Amino acid sequence: MAEVQYRFRDDEPVADPGVTVDSFGAQSNAAAVRLEPGDDARALLPHLERLRLVEVNFPVFGDGRGYSSARILREAGYAGELRAVGQVLVDQIALMRRCGFDSFAPDQPLEPADAEAAFARWADVYQPTTDGRAPVWAKRHPGAVNA
Amino acid sequence: MYKYDQYDQAMVDTRVEEFRDQVRRRLEGHLPEEAFRPLRLMNGLYLQLHAYMLRVAVPYGTLNSAQMKVLGDIADKYDRGYGHFTTRQNIQYNWIKLEEAPDILADLARVEMHAFQTSGNCIRNTTSDQYAGAAADEVVDPRPYAELIRQWSTVHPEFNFLPRKFKMAVIASDTDRAAMRLHDIGIQIVKNEAGELGAAFYVGGGMGRTPMIAPCINAFVPIGQMITYSEACLRVYNRHGRRDNKYKARIKILIHELGKDEYTRQVEAEFAHLLTQNIEPPAEELERIKAFFADPPFETGITDELDRSDAAFARWADTNCLAHKQPGYIAVTISLKPVGGIPGDASADQIRLMGELARQYSFDELRVTHAQNIVLPHVRKADLYALWQILDANGLGTPNLDHIGDMIACPGLDYCSLANARSIPVAQKISERLAPREAEIGELKLKISGCINACGHHHAGHIGILGVDRKGVENYQLLLGGCEGADTSLGQITGPGFDEDGIVGAVEKATEVYLANKQGEERFLDTYRRIGMAPFKEALYG
Amino acid sequence: MKILTGNDLKTGAVTWWDGVQWSLHVEDAVDVGDHADTILAREEAARRVNSAYAIDAVKDETGVRPAHIKDRIRALGPTVRPDLTLKPADPEAGNWVI
């Protein structure tokens, strides 16, 4: 299994590898699950309290379903580790970070200088996500709320 | 028009530096083509038949003279002295070097332009009505809503790797001048009985190999929820759109396979959830954007009459100009379809000249139309003759708007690596053959695509032409009866295809059948709809 | 004959494998026989060419003629802009494409 190269959280990592969504439902003690692109992230929502690690697999970087899976989990309040695994490339990690991923275990390790530049690149963002960053419209209108 | 603030400027500047870094890594061998390709596409850079091609975004088709000057200068400095205006209101250059592409993006950023997401499996440039802000029939100016979508869709973290490309259009009048229902999402801004604004969502339209007219899935989304509803539409598509077959990956296929009702149900459920996430920009943001689209300082009490004593001018004015909401003004379409020319192409000098004329005569505003022409939206009628004289002297005075010579044509096999047949030579021959009879034939929208991807909108042409490859030889199918707009319909193939000269003759025959059967003021399309395909088939193959 | 064509990575210019390097002129193209895959892999890896592929062609009195019209247009340039092709002074050049 690929090494975790970046992890943006301080808690103790879960040692077990993620089980499939199907076996996760049956194994009442599993704390880690692995989502494939075709899996429904919402199937995990009844079990969020016992989940500590969700690995979202990107078998090919061009399959973008994992971005939606990540946001769905974070929007539902999932606070455990959300790990991008598979073909995780340096030019996509900033997008993944915005969708709620807080750890990265790429099949091919990323060039550290490029990865750090990518994480730091976008000072402003147009859209709010659950990552807590203020979108440009919030900076333009401090205090405004959507009616 | 819209002006960037420090944040918008920082976004485009950051993008330039990001792409410069990506190009450097590609050239130094740290980024393989497979991973680089979607990145360059999302910056508008294709590898085409002869070179790289750069597609520059023109958000909702609106430009000013400073931007036109830079577009002309880019054509001279980095390309071969011309650009091509596209059916998505963009401009593209055909002879770009990869190593210079970041510098071009930097030049664009200095005039608040970019190439964000003009290709790739992401949300593309949002298009709109070319007469926005000038048309008498609009509920509101649709462009502030398109700008809101531009910002929301720019580097959207969830939607950069959709199953396939995603095109949106926003209009605000019942007369659809943007082929709204042939987009992945078409939005019509409407007013309800209480006088409140809302967005009608038409989802799942498109051309390509499986043309579909978008159904309305929600006739009134409150305007303060338009972005949230868009996000819901996109999320359902991103999760469930087909990824096993690129030819079945557009949202129209998802909706066709799920059924409109089930897709709508899923969108509404996702929408209800997303409403709890507070992702919608506040009303203050829409108001901020709207202020940029306030009417220019129109003069009042000026003449509303035209001096029609010059017959050539009168013909051009009658053909290429549209009534304006403001007395004394008129909206002018500059045809980029000179007789025998290349549809949509303009030289660097012409691009700069049109910008300069906009500055002099149209409150510094221009529009690109989806029919590959340029609009000066706000011209004083008193200035029209002087303007026309300059246009005419520079090859820009062709009086053929919505006539057969004003055809849409994709670049075809002369430039495009996807094409099966050349489009431009066919366009040129038809133009030369039938231009002399344009006044007699009247309104006739001809649209030519060089392959089934339908960039030339052949399904939506009153007469459509589709180029195909028949055992290595170019062959052209003829379609009749297509139409964009409020009464959108898809053209039907007449029968066996034709060779290059044959298709020119076939188009001419179709116009003759029309003229022989025309009743009263009928246009070609009206006559076709009344008499059907049979008389045309008889003339073509009988 | 089998010949190789692609685009120069930096400039995008259409190029043809002449046995030693990549030429702008199709008439320099050589028959690569069974070696297409080996040459393409090596040249792509060295970043001397982008998106290269092997095509069928014939050698006749006019030189090397790609079998498909698409590659003949690539070899010459856009038929609707003779001034921008590789043979701007030859008014008959477009006929070779068809």
Side-chain angles (χ1 to χ4, degrees), chain A residues 15-117:
Chain A
D16 317 331
V19 300
T20 65
V21 174
D22 284 349
S23 52
F24 177 79
Q27 283 178 284
S28 57
N29 58 348
V33 67
R34 184 183 175 100
L35 278 179
E36 297 299 329
D39 290 336
D40 180 5
R42 289 204 162 99
L44 300 179
L45 299 190
H47 313 291
L48 291 187
E49 67 291 342
R50 71 172 156 108
L51 260 180
R52 291 179 52 214
L53 170 66
V54 178
E55 294 178 322
V56 177
N57 187 26
F58 291 85
V60 290
F61 75 94
D63 187 332
R65 286 177 283 184
Y67 296 90
S68 290
S69 298
R71 285 193 71 197
I72 284 169
L73 290 170
R74 289 299 190 211
E75 287 167 1
Y78 173 64
E81 182 172 340
L82 192 52
R83 183 184 296 169
V85 304
Q87 195 178 29
V88 175
L89 306 180
V90 72
D91 292 289
Q92 281 82 55
I93 55 176
L95 301 168
M96 292 175 176
R97 194 86 181 87
R98 293 229 62 218
C99 288
F101 288 99
D102 56 6
S103 76
F104 298 85
D107 285 346
Q108 296 292 320
L110 308 178
E111 183 63 40
D114 293 339
E116 278 150 37

Side-chain angles (χ1 to χ4, degrees), chain B residues 27 52 98 414 417 469, chain C residues 9-10 14 47 68 70 79:
Chain B
L27 293 175
Y52 294 97
L98 174 60
D414 279 299
S417 58
D469 177 338
Chain C
L9 174 62
K10 285 184 187 172
V14 174
R47 304 188 305 283
H68 197 276
K70 175 175 289 187
T79 63

Side-chain angles (χ1 to χ4, degrees), chain B residues 9-237:
Chain B
Q9 191 63 47
M11 292 298 292
V12 295
D13 292 344
T14 301
R15 183 67 152 206
V16 172
E17 291 319 309
E18 180 187 54
F19 190 55
R20 195 181 291 285
D21 183 57
Q22 289 163 344
V23 170
R24 175 189 61 78
R25 284 186 280 130
R26 172 71 179 106
L27 293 175
E28 289 178 357
H30 305 304
L31 186 56
E33 180 66 13
E34 178 215 36
F36 178 62
R37 187 170 174 275
L39 305 176
R40 66 168 162 76
L41 290 174
M42 276 187 258
N43 285 283
L45 198 67
Y46 287 72
L47 185 56
Q48 285 290 20
L49 273 195
H50 310 295
Y52 294 97
M53 178 200 93
L54 180 68
R55 181 179 297 151
V56 176
V58 181
Y60 34 90
T62 297
L63 287 161
N64 64 26
S65 61
Q67 292 172 328
M68 286 290 268
K69 173 156 191 337
V70 166
L71 293 177
D73 291 349
I74 286 171
D76 277 338
K77 186 174 171 190
Y78 302 103
D79 205 86
R80 298 196 179 178
Y82 67 109
H84 177 74
F85 290 95
T86 79
T87 53
R88 298 214 70 253
Q89 300 181 306
N90 294 319
I91 180 171
Q92 57 199 34
Y93 300 99
N94 295 302
W95 304 90
I96 297 300
K97 296 180 172 68
L98 174 60
E99 50 192 353
E100 291 181 344
D103 295 332
I104 303 174
L105 296 188
D107 285 2
L108 291 168
R110 281 191 274 277
V111 286
E112 305 181 3
M113 295 191 78
H114 59 75
F116 276 119
Q117 297 165 210
T118 51
S119 178
N121 294 334
C122 50
I123 305 171
R124 303 286 188 87
N125 182 43
T126 299
T127 56
S128 188
D129 185 337
Q130 68 267 22
Y131 298 127
D137 61 350
E138 68 188 12
V139 172
V140 286
D141 188 330
R143 292 173 299 164
Y145 308 91
E147 173 61 24
L148 209 58
I149 290 170
R150 184 190 76 84
Q151 295 188 26
W152 161 75
S153 61
T154 297
V155 199
H156 193 297
E158 190 177 337
F159 304 135
N160 270 264
F161 294 93
L162 296 167
R164 201 72 176 82
K165 59 186 169 184
F166 203 90
K167 302 176 180 179
M168 296 180 70
V170 184
I171 64 170
S173 59
D174 285 334
T175 303
D176 174 11
R177 289 172 284 259
M180 177 274 283
R181 294 187 68 186
L182 296 170
H183 283 74
D184 295 285
I185 292 181
I187 291 175
Q188 182 177 350
I189 307 294
V190 294
K191 210 170 244 181
N192 66 12
E193 285 174 6
E196 298 156 337
L197 287 176
F201 273 73
Y202 294 81
V203 186
M207 290 187 255
R209 64 186 62 214
T210 318
M212 301 233 187
I213 298 168
C216 181
I217 68 158
N218 190 323
F220 193 87
V221 175
I223 206 68
Q225 299 174 341
M226 181 184 75
I227 295 297
T228 309
Y229 202 86
S230 301
E231 186 132 329
C233 291
L234 263 296
R235 180 174 285 178
V236 172
Y237 170 55

Side-chain angles (χ1 to χ4, degrees), chain B residues 26-29 33 40 47-52 80 82 95-99 342 345 413-420 422 424-425 428 469 472 474 500, chain C residues 6-14 44-45 47 49-51 53 67-81 83-85 94 97-98:
Chain B
R26 172 71 179 106
L27 293 175
E28 289 178 357
E33 180 66 13
R40 66 168 162 76
L47 185 56
Q48 285 290 20
L49 273 195
H50 310 295
Y52 294 97
R80 298 196 179 178
Y82 67 109
W95 304 90
I96 297 300
K97 296 180 172 68
L98 174 60
E99 50 192 353
I342 297 177
D345 275 14
L413 194 52
D414 279 299
Y415 289 102
C416 178
S417 58
L418 297 175
N420 293 126
R422 289 172 298 159
I424 299 168
Q428 291 174 312
D469 177 338
E474 294 164 299
E500 186 178 317
Chain C
N7 295 74
D8 184 81
L9 174 62
K10 285 184 187 172
T11 68
V14 174
E44 293 264 4
R47 304 188 305 283
V49 71
N50 193 6
S51 304
Y53 54 99
H68 197 276
I69 183 173
K70 175 175 289 187
D71 295 303
R72 295 196 293 275
I73 291 176
R74 291 180 73 245
L76 177 69
T79 63
V80 292
R81 286 295 301 265
D83 56 318
L84 302 180
T85 66
V97 165
I98 308 157

